[in-house]
Structure formats: C-alpha cells, structure tokens
Amino acid sequence: MFLEFARDSKVYLVDGSFMDRLHVTEVEFSQSFRDKNYETRTLHNLSEMHEGSSITTANPAQFSLTIPMIRSSAGLPNYQHKLVTFGIDLENNQLKTFDLFIETLSEGYKGNKLTGCVVTGVNFQISRSGFLLAEIEGEATKLERVGAPIADSVFGDGSNNDQLSATQRNSLNTGQAEWEAGHDKFVVCRNVTVQVGGNTLDFVFGVNLEIQNEGKWLKHETLQDSLSVTNASNTMYPSTYNLNGRTVAGSIQQYVNTSTATGAANLQTWSGNSTVNIKAGLDDTFDLEANLTPVSFTNRMNASEIYSQNYDFRLLSGAGTLTNLITYT
C-alpha cells in the first residue's frame, strides 16, 4: 500500500507540557548517516581494490515546514508564536529546542519523531492578495519511527491510548477547540505598505523577509563511543547546536513607473545606511511589522515584458533585539 503522505499526515509540535497541531501546507524531513571509507589494500593483500566502510555517526536531521500565518482573537496562535520566536530567541548562545511528530493515517497512525529541533531560518513570503506564508527550515538531532497513535484522545477513537501526558493532552485539546470554534482566519495580504529610507514605495508586488541563524552542531563523535557502535540503535547523534551569528535580510520587488515619485527611484543605486519598514495584513491592523534600521541595500533593474526593480537589503545591527524590530499581531 502506498502512503498518501501529503493528504493524511498530521504534524504536532511538542515543547515540554505544550503540544499543538501545526496546520501546514508542506512538510519535508530526512536524516542521513555518515559513511567513512578506509583503505583495505595492503602489501599482503594487493588484490583488494574496494575500500572498507565505517558508519558510526549520523548527520543532523533536516526539516522544512510551510505554514500560512493566522490571525486569532487571542493574537498569534501558540504554535506559530513558538516557531517564529524559537528562531529569534537567544538563551546562553544556544537556540531553544522542541520536538516534532509527523503522524500518517494510512499507515495505521505510524509516526515519525524529530527530537531536539532548532529553527535555522524563517522566511516570510509577502505577496499582495496572497497568503502570508512562513517558510521554516530547521535541523534536529534525531529522526526515528515511533508508536501510534500520537494523539488518539483528540483525533482518534477517544480511548486515550496515546503517548501524551495529561498536560500535553489538555494543551492539544485547547488548541483544537480554538481552531474548530472558527476564531482564527488565514492572513491574506490585502494591505502591504513598504518604505525605504522613509519613502513609501508604489507598485510593490512582492516582499520577502528572512531570518537566518548561523551556527553548527558541536562535535559529538568520540573514540570510546565509536567502539560500541554496532547498528543504527547505538549510532552517535549530534546533541548541541551552537549559535554563532544571525542574518536578517530580504528583498522587495517593485514595478518601474516613471510617472510616480518612487516608481523609478533608486534605480541601479545602493545605500550603506538606510531604513526598511514593512507592514502586511488583512487591513489597517497589520499582522506583521518589521522596522529595520540601520540597513544596507542594493538596487538592480530587471528587464522583461515589464520593467521592475529589486531592493536587496540586510540588517546591519540590532539583531539581538529582533523581538522589538519584528512584531506579530
């Protein structure tokens, strides 16, 4: 039986006692093992032409999620708040971690678990009259198969035969009740306002804003542990992600129109000290606001059926206080 993964899978975020279902449009995940080769040909065995193999460690697991942003009567839903702030929160120079569960109905609720997830990047896609999307990329220490059902008390037959604690079950039930009550609605970017250097741009047709966490997993392979590795169950997995830096950048796409003050401004120019202000939402109550200063930008013109220009910008400082620079309703 083929698994219709995209149609019948559910994704859950778990952070201690907090658990909620993620409403995603796309999800991908994988993990590979590291295969080291070594010479087997010796003076006593010159006919051995094939290299040997040693597998003792796993590479970090990779995952990506695409989530339509939601406006809730209580503000940003908890699971979205956790995802977009995990990527911009500092705690002892290490990102906070969480777990992801992906459960597939057609496989008898068999699940996959990503342990120790960190968000390495959040990209907000902002297009006029389109959904406000958050494209989230991250890494995790381990991907494994787990028993099921993960959340039978909410989505199964009500037998409570699942892997949840009482507090997790209460958190999941609360989030599901809010969703079903219709208090949330997807954010369509009917109102997008962009300013560069204090001037409001006309004819903007696309904006993206990206936060990238730059770091690496600390070395986790030791000689002592490698000697005891016999199969996948006792493989050495990465455990600690060390944050080294952060980049906030993006681009603005604008049609060139010579009849307006800003429609053809800054063509083929640049600035090393400017400001970028982005507001997007359903109406005048904006759901996403970014007030970035100081920034540098370069401008490039695109020639096709219609002339357009791109502002490519990057935040120069203030990355430690991103919660004040980028806000969500």
Side-chain angles (χ1 to χ4, degrees), residues 7 21 27 29 90 129 133-134 190 207 215 217-218 226 246 261 279 283 287 291 301 307 316:
R7 294 189 179 187
R21 180 183 171 189
V27 56
F29 56 92
L90 283 172
S129 299
L133 300 176
R190 295 194 179 97
V207 182
W217 294 89
L218 299 184
S226 66
R246 175 173 290 115
K279 297 180 180 180
D283 43 43
D287 297 273
N291 299 298
M301 187 171 65
Y307 278 110
L316 299 178

Side-chain angles (χ1 to χ4, degrees), residues 36 56-57 219-229 236:
K36 291 185 178 181
T56 58
T57 62
K219 183 176 175 62
H220 58 282
E221 182 179 5
T222 66
L223 176 60
Q224 291 80 2
D225 290 339
S226 66
L227 296 175
S228 61
V229 174
M236 292 180 289

Side-chain angles (χ1 to χ4, degrees), residues 58-237:
N59 295 312
Q62 310 286 327
F63 70 88
S64 63
L65 307 166
T66 300
I67 299 179
M69 299 299 285
I70 294 170
R71 177 184 290 184
S72 169
S73 58
L76 197 67
N78 281 333
Y79 72 85
Q80 293 195 354
H81 177 75
K82 285 180 174 291
L83 280 172
V84 298
T85 56
F86 272 132
I88 58 177
D89 248 356
L90 283 172
E91 185 175 286
N92 298 324
N93 206 35
Q94 293 180 2
L95 297 176
K96 293 182 179 180
T97 63
F98 56 94
D99 297 334
L100 285 177
F101 288 85
I102 300 93
E103 182 179 74
T104 306
L105 173 62
S106 63
E107 201 182 359
Y109 287 104
K110 193 68 176 178
N112 300 282
K113 180 183 179 183
L114 287 159
T115 303
C117 300
V118 294
V119 172
T120 57
V122 180
N123 186 15
F124 293 100
Q125 291 287 349
I126 305 167
S127 58
R128 287 191 183 276
S129 299
F131 289 113
L132 176 58
L133 300 176
E135 298 175 344
I136 298 165
E137 293 185 348
E139 298 181 356
T141 62
K142 186 177 183 180
L143 169 63
E144 60 185 321
R145 302 282 277 172
V146 295
I150 295 169
D152 185 48
S153 61
V154 177
F155 302 105
D157 60 12
S159 64
N160 291 337
N161 181 26
D162 53 42
Q163 302 181 25
L164 308 187
S165 66
T167 51
Q168 288 174 337
R169 188 175 296 114
N170 180 66
S171 173
L172 186 56
N173 275 299
T174 300
Q176 181 68 8
E178 290 178 353
W179 178 269
E180 293 177 349
H183 293 161
D184 305 320
K185 54 185 174 182
F186 294 106
V187 176
V188 178
C189 299
R190 295 194 179 97
N191 190 358
V192 179
T193 301
V194 180
Q195 291 183 338
V196 174
N199 297 315
T200 302
L201 302 185
D202 299 313
F203 307 112
V204 172
F205 64 89
V207 182
N208 81 288
L209 174 64
E210 186 171 5
I211 304 163
Q212 283 288 339
N213 290 315
E214 301 163 2
K216 62 181 180 180
W217 294 89
L218 299 184
K219 183 176 175 62
H220 58 282
E221 182 179 5
T222 66
L223 176 60
Q224 291 80 2
D225 290 339
S226 66
L227 296 175
S228 61
V229 174
T230 56
N231 52 47
S233 64
N234 49 26
T235 299
M236 292 180 289
Y237 289 89

